[in-house]
Amino acid sequence: MRKPLILAAVCLAAAFMPDQASAADAAAAADNALQWGALTLIPPLLAIILAFASKNVVLSLFIGVFSGCFMLELKGFDVYHAMVGGFLHLSGQVLSSLADPWDAGIVLQVLAIGGLIALISKMGGATAIAGAISRWAKTPRSSQLAAWVMGLFIFFDDYANSLTVGPIMRPVTDRLRISREKLAFIIDATAAPIAGIALISTWVAYEVGLIRDGYQAIGLSGNAYGIFVQTIPYRFYNIYILLFILIAVWFKRDFGPMYKAEIRARKEGKVIADNAVPMASEEATTLEPASHVKPSVWSAILPIGTLMVAAFLGFYFNGYQAIDDPEVLASVNASPLSFTAMRTCFGASDASVVLFQAALLASLVAIGMAVSKKIMPLKEAIETFVTGIKSMNITAVILLLAWSLSGVMKELGTATYLVGALSETLPAYLLPSIIFILGSIISFATGTSYGTMGILMPLTIPLAFALNPSPEFVILSVGSVLTGAIFGDHCSPISDTTILSSMGAGCDHIDHVRTQLTYSVTVAALAILTGYLPAGLGLPVSLTLPLGILATALVIRFVGRKVDD
């Protein structure tokens, strides 16, 4: 591996990644990547392998983080001080993760939504809305379609998607004997994939910013948002995985581990396996209302509606306050309700803070409803909220350890090593496919799609332009970065969205990853074979996209096996 390539990669990563790592940190990561080489992969591989082998996610992540901290503290053969220093380094990583405003906001958001779910359940709202959905979703097919549609509807943020769809749909899918693994897959596969391509979402500003900076690096200027829109047809994985769900549900077909999970649920009535450990405690979602309470859908609609409306407004006003460019601010003020203004404000918002505020406000509305309707006194309402918070403790612990593992790998230079090891001179037509695969590997190993985009985008745009200056080819390569990062993150057991999807569905986390992996890898293979390879050879997207959709349908039809109601 060449040192200049490593240094260039890590410096670019420091410049574009969300946490704005300092030049000193970037240099240290470059040195560690050179020193440890392939051994920088030990922490993520250890965590992932142990998680699958032991099904104990907390212990596996802890060992993965500690192994990385041990490597960072090891000087020569001084194992003793490396053990002690590694433990201290680990505790520092966890503290840093919790001290990060974004991470803290996500943890608080998860806890607050846990309290909100408990309140809705105790008021009878969950029972009532499950009954209302059941009047339409009377079969496994229709209930899964309902979950898919709901996932598409909550397009503006992947976290909000993961945390909302599961608790609402879980009672319905449980009653109809749909496995928790299938529900978790539907949630996960409609979270980041739809948020990543939505014209207005909390992802847009970051993606557009990377595109703008990448084009400026090669001396080109243009409408970065327009380029982002042009990449959407080339987001083959996102499009295929969304349609994969619809087609599989419609044809009632599954394959691989998911087929076994669905057969178990249908025939034995076991929505989770006998040895499964659900991510979320059932305590928050199985709270029964008192005998005098008449379940009402409004007990769910008003709090959840408050959550959605508050989040939508919060994204706008939080982003508005964050805009520091006078020209951009003037443009927004000139037409505050325009599509452009909404896109700009949404993109500039701090999603973690907004979602926490929205969940807290929705919880206060739920408490007010419970007290005013005499469903329960104020003291019991607060205790119910706290019970819901407690049910999310394990999710918070896993998130903190996953973020700590990501921080350790950043220090070790894991992503930097992967970029240097896998980047070689290639024929132009192979570049989009290789970038997609490289993004997948980095995102899977690090559990972050944002970080992967930040590392690869400033490398991809100049490389694509040098190999083939055609605007369409550069846009295709940009799409492969954004899509590969989402695919790897979608599969990774240490990804926060994967963790939150398991939590929302009440599914064993490793069972979710194991059953989803077969589907994700299949769709990714189709994205390469019917998308990036032919598009790289010059075939128009008007031909490659329908071809890929047809191939997706054929795989489900002929590889999938019928799962009867």
Side-chain angles (χ1 to χ4, degrees), residues 92-431:
Q93 279 289 348
V94 175
L95 288 171
S96 297
S97 297
L98 189 57
D100 183 272
W102 174 273
D103 294 349
I106 295 301
V107 170
L108 290 173
Q109 165 201 162
V110 168
L111 297 178
I113 288 182
L116 174 64
I117 293 167
L119 286 165
I120 291 173
S121 298
K122 189 69 174 177
M123 291 193 297
T127 302
I129 203 166
I133 294 175
S134 297
R135 284 194 286 273
W136 176 76
K138 296 180 180 180
T139 65
R141 174 198 279 172
S142 56
S143 62
Q144 291 176 76
L145 287 175
W148 181 75
V149 170
M150 195 174 297
L152 295 183
F153 180 73
I154 309 175
F155 61 87
F156 52 85
D157 186 76
D158 53 329
Y159 291 148
N161 190 313
S162 299
L163 293 169
T164 305
V165 177
I168 292 175
M169 292 303 304
R170 193 191 312 164
V172 179
T173 55
D174 280 359
R175 183 180 61 80
L176 293 170
R177 296 188 173 190
I178 296 166
S179 67
R180 296 276 181 87
E181 293 94 326
K182 188 64 175 292
L183 177 60
F185 168 67
I186 294 173
I187 295 169
D188 207 354
T190 55
I194 189 63
I197 60 176
L199 298 179
I200 295 178
S201 77
T202 53
W203 287 55
V204 169
Y206 182 66
E207 294 176 314
V208 170
L210 291 175
I211 293 170
R212 181 191 62 242
D213 294 338
Y215 270 77
Q216 287 177 352
I218 58 175
L220 296 179
S221 61
N223 184 344
Y225 183 75
I227 295 169
F228 163 80
V229 172
Q230 292 179 66
T231 68
I232 292 177
Y234 296 106
R235 307 286 197 93
F236 297 112
Y237 178 79
N238 297 48
I239 296 169
Y240 293 174
I241 196 71
L242 291 170
L243 292 175
F244 181 96
I245 303 168
L246 176 63
I247 297 167
V249 169
W250 186 259
F251 284 127
K252 302 181 185 179
R253 290 181 178 274
D254 288 288
F255 55 89
M258 190 70 77
Y259 175 78
K260 295 178 181 178
E262 284 290 89
I263 290 297
R264 180 202 67 223
R266 297 288 201 284
K267 292 188 174 181
E268 302 176 31
K270 297 177 180 178
V271 294
I272 56 175
D274 291 330
N275 60 343
V277 180
M279 267 290 294
S281 170
E282 300 295 297
E283 187 177 9
T285 53
T286 57
L287 291 172
E288 294 293 335
S291 57
H292 71 280
V293 176
K294 183 180 180 180
S296 169
V297 293
W298 293 107
S299 297
I301 290 175
L302 287 179
I304 293 174
T306 300
L307 172 68
M308 303 298 293
V309 172
F312 203 86
L313 293 175
F315 288 138
Y316 184 91
F317 289 107
N318 181 274
Y320 179 85
Q321 293 174 354
I323 298 173
D324 53 9
D325 187 327
E327 293 184 6
V328 175
L329 191 61
S331 174
V332 171
N333 288 332
S335 184
L337 297 180
S338 67
F339 175 83
T340 302
M342 294 179 67
R343 169 179 57 81
T344 302
C345 293
F346 268 58
S349 67
D350 186 334
S352 65
V353 172
V354 170
L355 288 171
F356 165 61
Q357 294 169 339
L360 189 59
L361 178 61
S363 298
L364 292 174
V365 169
I367 290 173
M369 290 180 61
V371 174
S372 63
K373 295 173 67 175
K374 296 184 171 25
I375 295 174
M376 50 184 147
L378 179 61
K379 180 182 178 182
E380 185 180 350
I382 294 174
E383 289 175 350
T384 300
F385 179 74
V386 173
T387 297
I389 289 177
K390 290 178 181 177
S391 72
M392 299 299 175
N393 285 342
I394 185 63
T395 304
V397 170
I398 291 174
L399 284 172
L400 286 174
L401 287 173
W403 290 327
S404 300
L405 180 60
S406 178
V408 167
M409 288 188 293
K410 191 180 300 179
E411 289 188 63
L412 278 172
T414 303
T416 304
Y417 164 75
L418 285 171
V419 170
L422 300 176
S423 297
E424 296 181 6
T425 303
L426 298 167
Y429 75 90
L430 284 179
L431 181 65

